[in-house]
Amino acid sequence: MQIRSFQLSDYRSVSELLKEVLSEECCEETMGPFARQLSWDSDLVLVAEQAGTLAGVLIGTIDQQKGYVYRIAVKEQFQRQGVGRALVANMDNRFRQRNVLKVMIAGDKHNELLRPFYESLGSRQLDFARMSQPLSIVAG
């Protein structure tokens, strides 16, 4: 599996993955912030590839020296194979490189459904918290 920064050529595949994996409401709420994050800092949008296929995506952002995991989505056929765990670990490393003081999970009803996954990560406690501003208006 390869984890890398989003590239423009990934846009269609990532959009399709989000539509496939997320609920319709969650996908609608995610697309605008996803596009804004790409315009601010595409290095905080990670994709996972397995055998040449897009397996997952993680959208992160930084707000006032706090790193946020905004949204994660893994294709069903790749779930429970460590893709999500690898995406979160890679994002955590990127946050550390940028001197982020604390890593948080953007607290919304969609991420709340993934609480068992985040709690299973174990080694580093990730707190659920509201961002000081929603990703739709954070300036990167």
Short mmCIF file of all heavy atoms in Angstrom, two decimals, residues 14-35 59 70-71 73 110:
data_model
loop_
_atom_site.label_atom_id
_atom_site.label_comp_id
_atom_site.label_asym_id
_atom_site.label_seq_id
_atom_site.Cartn_x
_atom_site.Cartn_y
_atom_site.Cartn_z
N VAL A 14 -11.30 10.27 -6.21
CA VAL A 14 -11.60 10.60 -4.82
C VAL A 14 -13.07 11.00 -4.69
O VAL A 14 -13.76 10.56 -3.76
CB VAL A 14 -10.66 11.69 -4.28
CG1 VAL A 14 -11.16 12.24 -2.94
CG2 VAL A 14 -9.25 11.15 -4.12
N SER A 15 -13.56 11.81 -5.61
CA SER A 15 -14.97 12.22 -5.57
C SER A 15 -15.88 11.00 -5.65
O SER A 15 -16.87 10.90 -4.91
CB SER A 15 -15.29 13.18 -6.72
OG SER A 15 -14.56 14.36 -6.58
N GLU A 16 -15.55 10.07 -6.53
CA GLU A 16 -16.35 8.85 -6.66
C GLU A 16 -16.28 8.00 -5.39
O GLU A 16 -17.29 7.45 -4.94
CB GLU A 16 -15.90 8.03 -7.87
CG GLU A 16 -16.27 8.69 -9.19
CD GLU A 16 -15.64 8.03 -10.40
OE1 GLU A 16 -14.89 7.03 -10.24
OE2 GLU A 16 -15.89 8.53 -11.52
N LEU A 17 -15.09 7.91 -4.80
CA LEU A 17 -14.94 7.15 -3.56
C LEU A 17 -15.79 7.77 -2.45
O LEU A 17 -16.48 7.06 -1.73
CB LEU A 17 -13.47 7.11 -3.14
CG LEU A 17 -13.16 6.31 -1.87
CD1 LEU A 17 -11.81 5.62 -2.01
CD2 LEU A 17 -13.17 7.17 -0.64
N LEU A 18 -15.76 9.09 -2.32
CA LEU A 18 -16.55 9.75 -1.28
C LEU A 18 -18.04 9.49 -1.49
O LEU A 18 -18.77 9.21 -0.54
CB LEU A 18 -16.26 11.25 -1.26
CG LEU A 18 -14.85 11.65 -0.80
CD1 LEU A 18 -14.62 13.14 -1.00
CD2 LEU A 18 -14.59 11.24 0.63
N LYS A 19 -18.49 9.54 -2.73
CA LYS A 19 -19.91 9.28 -3.03
C LYS A 19 -20.27 7.82 -2.73
O LYS A 19 -21.38 7.54 -2.28
CB LYS A 19 -20.21 9.60 -4.49
CG LYS A 19 -20.22 11.08 -4.77
CD LYS A 19 -20.42 11.36 -6.25
CE LYS A 19 -20.29 12.86 -6.51
NZ LYS A 19 -20.24 13.18 -7.92
N GLU A 20 -19.34 6.93 -2.97
CA GLU A 20 -19.58 5.50 -2.76
C GLU A 20 -19.62 5.14 -1.27
O GLU A 20 -20.45 4.35 -0.84
CB GLU A 20 -18.48 4.71 -3.46
CG GLU A 20 -18.48 3.22 -3.25
CD GLU A 20 -17.27 2.56 -3.87
OE1 GLU A 20 -16.77 3.03 -4.91
OE2 GLU A 20 -16.80 1.56 -3.29
N VAL A 21 -18.72 5.73 -0.48
CA VAL A 21 -18.52 5.31 0.90
C VAL A 21 -19.35 6.11 1.90
O VAL A 21 -19.89 5.55 2.85
CB VAL A 21 -17.02 5.38 1.28
CG1 VAL A 21 -16.79 5.10 2.74
CG2 VAL A 21 -16.22 4.43 0.41
N LEU A 22 -19.46 7.41 1.70
CA LEU A 22 -20.15 8.27 2.65
C LEU A 22 -21.65 8.29 2.38
O LEU A 22 -22.09 8.06 1.26
CB LEU A 22 -19.60 9.70 2.57
CG LEU A 22 -18.10 9.89 2.77
CD1 LEU A 22 -17.72 11.35 2.59
CD2 LEU A 22 -17.64 9.37 4.12
N SER A 23 -22.41 8.61 3.40
CA SER A 23 -23.84 8.82 3.18
C SER A 23 -24.01 10.02 2.26
O SER A 23 -23.11 10.85 2.12
CB SER A 23 -24.55 9.07 4.51
OG SER A 23 -24.18 10.34 5.03
N GLU A 24 -25.16 10.13 1.65
CA GLU A 24 -25.41 11.24 0.73
C GLU A 24 -25.24 12.58 1.44
O GLU A 24 -24.58 13.49 0.94
CB GLU A 24 -26.82 11.13 0.15
CG GLU A 24 -27.12 12.19 -0.89
CD GLU A 24 -28.49 12.01 -1.53
OE1 GLU A 24 -29.06 10.90 -1.46
OE2 GLU A 24 -28.98 13.00 -2.08
N GLU A 25 -25.79 12.69 2.66
CA GLU A 25 -25.68 13.92 3.43
C GLU A 25 -24.22 14.23 3.76
O GLU A 25 -23.76 15.36 3.59
CB GLU A 25 -26.48 13.80 4.73
CG GLU A 25 -26.37 15.02 5.62
CD GLU A 25 -27.00 14.82 6.99
OE1 GLU A 25 -27.26 13.66 7.40
OE2 GLU A 25 -27.22 15.84 7.66
N CYS A 26 -23.48 13.23 4.22
CA CYS A 26 -22.08 13.43 4.58
C CYS A 26 -21.26 13.83 3.36
O CYS A 26 -20.43 14.73 3.43
CB CYS A 26 -21.52 12.16 5.22
SG CYS A 26 -19.82 12.32 5.77
N CYS A 27 -21.52 13.19 2.24
CA CYS A 27 -20.79 13.51 1.02
C CYS A 27 -21.05 14.96 0.61
O CYS A 27 -20.12 15.69 0.28
CB CYS A 27 -21.18 12.55 -0.10
SG CYS A 27 -20.19 12.77 -1.59
N GLU A 28 -22.31 15.37 0.64
CA GLU A 28 -22.65 16.75 0.30
C GLU A 28 -21.94 17.74 1.22
O GLU A 28 -21.45 18.77 0.77
CB GLU A 28 -24.16 16.97 0.36
CG GLU A 28 -24.91 16.31 -0.78
CD GLU A 28 -26.42 16.44 -0.66
OE1 GLU A 28 -26.90 17.22 0.20
OE2 GLU A 28 -27.12 15.75 -1.41
N GLU A 29 -21.88 17.43 2.51
CA GLU A 29 -21.22 18.30 3.47
C GLU A 29 -19.70 18.29 3.33
O GLU A 29 -19.03 19.21 3.79
CB GLU A 29 -21.60 17.91 4.90
CG GLU A 29 -23.04 18.19 5.24
CD GLU A 29 -23.43 17.70 6.62
OE1 GLU A 29 -22.55 17.36 7.44
OE2 GLU A 29 -24.64 17.66 6.89
N THR A 30 -19.16 17.26 2.71
CA THR A 30 -17.71 17.09 2.61
C THR A 30 -17.13 17.72 1.34
O THR A 30 -15.99 18.21 1.36
CB THR A 30 -17.36 15.59 2.66
OG1 THR A 30 -17.83 15.06 3.90
CG2 THR A 30 -15.87 15.35 2.53
N MET A 31 -17.86 17.73 0.25
CA MET A 31 -17.29 18.15 -1.04
C MET A 31 -16.79 19.60 -1.04
O MET A 31 -15.71 19.87 -1.57
CB MET A 31 -18.29 17.92 -2.18
CG MET A 31 -18.58 16.45 -2.43
SD MET A 31 -17.09 15.43 -2.69
CE MET A 31 -16.51 16.04 -4.26
N GLY A 32 -17.52 20.52 -0.46
CA GLY A 32 -17.07 21.92 -0.43
C GLY A 32 -15.81 22.08 0.40
O GLY A 32 -14.80 22.64 -0.08
N PRO A 33 -15.79 21.58 1.64
CA PRO A 33 -14.56 21.66 2.44
C PRO A 33 -13.38 20.92 1.80
O PRO A 33 -12.24 21.36 1.90
CB PRO A 33 -14.97 21.03 3.77
CG PRO A 33 -16.43 21.31 3.87
CD PRO A 33 -16.94 21.17 2.46
N PHE A 34 -13.66 19.81 1.13
CA PHE A 34 -12.61 19.07 0.42
C PHE A 34 -11.97 19.98 -0.63
O PHE A 34 -10.74 20.12 -0.69
CB PHE A 34 -13.22 17.82 -0.21
CG PHE A 34 -12.37 17.12 -1.23
CD1 PHE A 34 -11.08 16.72 -0.95
CD2 PHE A 34 -12.88 16.82 -2.49
CE1 PHE A 34 -10.30 16.06 -1.89
CE2 PHE A 34 -12.13 16.15 -3.42
CZ PHE A 34 -10.83 15.78 -3.13
N ALA A 35 -12.78 20.63 -1.44
CA ALA A 35 -12.25 21.52 -2.48
C ALA A 35 -11.48 22.68 -1.86
O ALA A 35 -10.40 23.06 -2.36
CB ALA A 35 -13.39 22.03 -3.36
N ILE A 59 -8.95 13.55 4.66
CA ILE A 59 -8.88 15.01 4.53
C ILE A 59 -8.53 15.56 5.91
O ILE A 59 -9.27 15.34 6.87
CB ILE A 59 -10.21 15.59 4.04
CG1 ILE A 59 -10.61 14.96 2.71
CG2 ILE A 59 -10.12 17.12 3.93
CD1 ILE A 59 -12.04 15.23 2.29
N TYR A 70 -10.46 15.59 9.36
CA TYR A 70 -11.80 16.07 9.02
C TYR A 70 -12.68 14.94 8.49
O TYR A 70 -13.81 14.77 8.94
CB TYR A 70 -11.70 17.20 7.99
CG TYR A 70 -13.05 17.64 7.50
CD1 TYR A 70 -13.92 18.33 8.34
CD2 TYR A 70 -13.47 17.36 6.20
CE1 TYR A 70 -15.18 18.72 7.90
CE2 TYR A 70 -14.73 17.75 5.76
CZ TYR A 70 -15.57 18.43 6.61
OH TYR A 70 -16.82 18.80 6.18
N ARG A 71 -12.17 14.16 7.54
CA ARG A 71 -12.99 13.09 6.99
C ARG A 71 -12.08 11.97 6.49
O ARG A 71 -11.02 12.23 5.92
CB ARG A 71 -13.82 13.60 5.81
CG ARG A 71 -14.89 12.67 5.34
CD ARG A 71 -16.07 12.59 6.29
NE ARG A 71 -16.84 13.82 6.31
CZ ARG A 71 -17.22 14.44 7.44
NH1 ARG A 71 -16.94 13.95 8.63
NH2 ARG A 71 -17.91 15.55 7.38
N ALA A 73 -12.37 8.09 4.43
CA ALA A 73 -13.24 7.16 3.70
C ALA A 73 -12.36 6.08 3.08
O ALA A 73 -11.35 6.38 2.46
CB ALA A 73 -14.04 7.89 2.63
N HIS A 110 -20.99 12.68 11.63
CA HIS A 110 -20.46 11.68 10.71
C HIS A 110 -19.22 11.00 11.30
O HIS A 110 -19.08 9.78 11.22
CB HIS A 110 -20.16 12.29 9.35
CG HIS A 110 -21.32 13.04 8.78
ND1 HIS A 110 -22.51 12.44 8.44
CD2 HIS A 110 -21.50 14.36 8.54
CE1 HIS A 110 -23.37 13.35 7.99
NE2 HIS A 110 -22.76 14.52 8.04
#
